[in-house]
Amino acid sequence: MVNSAELPPSFSEVRRWAIASTEDLARLRALLHHALTGTDTPPQRGIGEVPEKAVLVASELATNALRHGEPPTVVRLLTDGERFAIDVIDRAPGSAPLVAGDRAPGDGGFGLILAQRVSLDVGWYAEGDLKHVWATFDAPPGLLVDLDGHAPDDGTR
C-alpha cells in the first residue's frame, strides 16, 4: 500500500521536466542525475548511491504515470535542504497507485515496491485534477541541490 499523504510544505521545487513518452525516460534520467550531482551519469555504475537510487525511482514512477495516468506527465525535483524528493504528476487523480501483488519476475509492476525499498518514504495525493506520486531521499553531503534552486545548469529551466 502507498501512503496517502502530501509532501511536507518545507519542500520547494528545484527543477521540473515534462515527459510525453517512454522515449523521454533516458533524457529524464540523465538530466536528473546531472541536477543532483553536476556530473553525467557514469556508465556501468550500480545503484548503491543516493543519486542513482533517485534516478531509478524517478524512472519507475514516471513509467507508471505514462502507462496508467493521463498526460501530461511532469517530474519534479524538490528539496528542503536536508532531503530531496521526486514528485511525478499526471492527470488521473482518481486512480490511486497500487503496489503489485504476487507476480512472476519479469511480469513488471514492481516500480512502487522498488521505490519503497530504496527511498525514505513514498506517498501520493490528489490535488484538483492532478495526481502526485512522490518519494523522498536523504541528501548526502556533496549533492548540489539546495533550497534556493541553484542546482547545476542543465538547460531545463
Side-chain angles (χ1 to χ4, degrees):
M1 178 172 231
V2 178
N3 296 330
S4 177
E6 291 187 26
L7 272 166
S10 58
F11 280 91
S12 58
E13 184 176 306
V14 177
R15 289 279 190 273
R16 76 170 38 216
W17 301 273
I19 58 173
S21 70
T22 55
E23 287 79 29
D24 295 334
L25 293 173
R27 180 178 162 272
L28 169 68
R29 289 188 292 268
L31 292 173
L32 177 57
H33 189 276
H34 192 269
L36 289 169
T37 67
T39 64
D40 293 333
T41 307
Q44 306 300 321
R45 187 164 178 184
I47 64 160
E49 301 296 322
V50 170
E52 286 76 26
K53 289 177 183 177
V55 168
L56 177 62
V57 167
S59 184
E60 292 291 333
L61 296 181
T63 298
N64 287 349
L66 290 168
R67 288 188 178 152
H68 306 293
E70 298 292 329
T73 297
V74 174
V75 179
R76 299 188 313 152
L77 172 63
L78 304 100
T79 186
D80 68 0
E82 295 177 10
R83 299 170 296 166
F84 67 93
I86 303 298
D87 179 30
V88 178
I89 305 165
D90 66 48
R91 291 195 178 275
S95 64
L98 299 174
V99 175
D102 292 333
R103 292 185 188 187
D107 284 349
F110 294 102
L112 286 169
I113 293 171
L114 179 108
Q116 290 173 325
R117 288 185 181 164
V118 303
S119 66
L120 294 174
D121 198 11
V122 177
W124 82 281
Y125 63 99
E127 178 181 56
D129 65 346
L130 302 176
K131 176 178 66 198
H132 295 254
V133 181
W134 54 264
T136 58
F137 301 85
D138 278 327
L143 271 186
L144 298 177
V145 175
D146 63 38
L147 266 176
D148 61 5
H150 293 306
D153 181 13
D154 60 13
T156 60
R157 269 201 170 200

